[in-house]
Amino acid sequence: MNNAIKIILITLLCQLGTPVFADKGDANVLVRMFDWWNAAMKTTDGLTEQAFREYYTEDAAIIINGNELVRGIKPMVEHFRGARARIESVEIVLPFEEEFESESGDHIFTYHLVRTRVDGADQLSHLMGYAVVEEGRISLINFVRYNQPVAADAVALSKEIQ
């Protein structure tokens, strides 16, 4: 094969391929935070103010479906410790289903999945939205969440529709 054609093909593959992060250092702050969060939710001492401050500004807010879930570092620690106590397991699925950043890098848009186990039932949530980044830390997460019905609920719902 001609060298020029090889170069063109390699260039196209590099441009069309899905980026894969070689290590956590290559990932944006949202991906790094969710990677940390997944691990922290499995331990009793991972959800600390110091750890949250690595990823969030002091007055950061998390908004889900238009409702402010939590604002500020201390309330985040309390909220997620409470959540960990109520659920059997939770995982934000990485890599995201879809993700892109604004040219300025101050907004990260994502569509991702969250797997949860509560009272012996597995649940899957679909989240879509964005994070605002200020000086390398998250100041706002604004997501829309859809909780996929559990299998039994889905069967009941399909019978109601028929």
Side-chain angles (χ1 to χ4, degrees), residues 47-50 52-53 56-60 70-81:
L47 298 168
T48 66
E49 289 181 32
Q50 180 181 358
F52 273 92
R53 282 188 178 96
Y56 289 95
T57 61
E58 282 298 317
D59 62 345
V70 66
R71 178 179 295 273
I73 297 293
K74 286 184 181 194
M76 279 187 196
V77 172
E78 293 169 14
H79 171 79
F80 287 110
R81 284 181 179 171

Side-chain angles (χ1 to χ4, degrees), residues 19 31 42 50 55 65 69 71 83 89-90 93 104 107 119 123 135-136 151 154-156:
V31 172
K42 295 177 185 173
Q50 180 181 358
Y55 302 101
N65 292 342
L69 184 65
R71 178 179 295 273
S89 67
V90 61
V93 179
S104 61
H107 284 76
D119 297 329
Q123 299 176 353
E135 298 179 6
V155 170

Side-chain angles (χ1 to χ4, degrees), residues 11 28 31 34 40 45 47 51 53 73 79 83 93 96 101 110-111 119 142 144 154:
T11 302
N28 65 45
V31 172
F34 280 152
D45 58 353
L47 298 168
R53 282 188 178 96
I73 297 293
H79 171 79
V93 179
F96 294 142
E101 293 182 46
T110 177
Y111 162 53
D119 297 329
N142 191 352
V144 174

Side-chain angles (χ1 to χ4, degrees), residues 3-75:
N3 281 342
I5 294 173
K6 287 181 187 177
I7 292 171
I8 291 170
L9 287 175
I10 291 171
T11 302
L12 284 173
L13 286 173
C14 289
Q15 289 179 351
L16 297 176
T18 302
V20 176
F21 298 113
D23 61 39
K24 294 178 196 171
D26 294 338
N28 65 45
V29 66
L30 188 63
V31 172
R32 290 191 317 269
M33 184 278 295
F34 280 152
D35 187 54
W36 158 77
W37 188 89
N38 278 340
M41 288 297 283
K42 295 177 185 173
T43 67
T44 56
D45 58 353
L47 298 168
T48 66
E49 289 181 32
Q50 180 181 358
F52 273 92
R53 282 188 178 96
E54 288 185 40
Y55 302 101
Y56 289 95
T57 61
E58 282 298 317
D59 62 345
I62 299 175
I63 298 172
I64 305 291
N65 292 342
N67 298 310
E68 187 173 292
L69 184 65
V70 66
R71 178 179 295 273
I73 297 293
K74 286 184 181 194

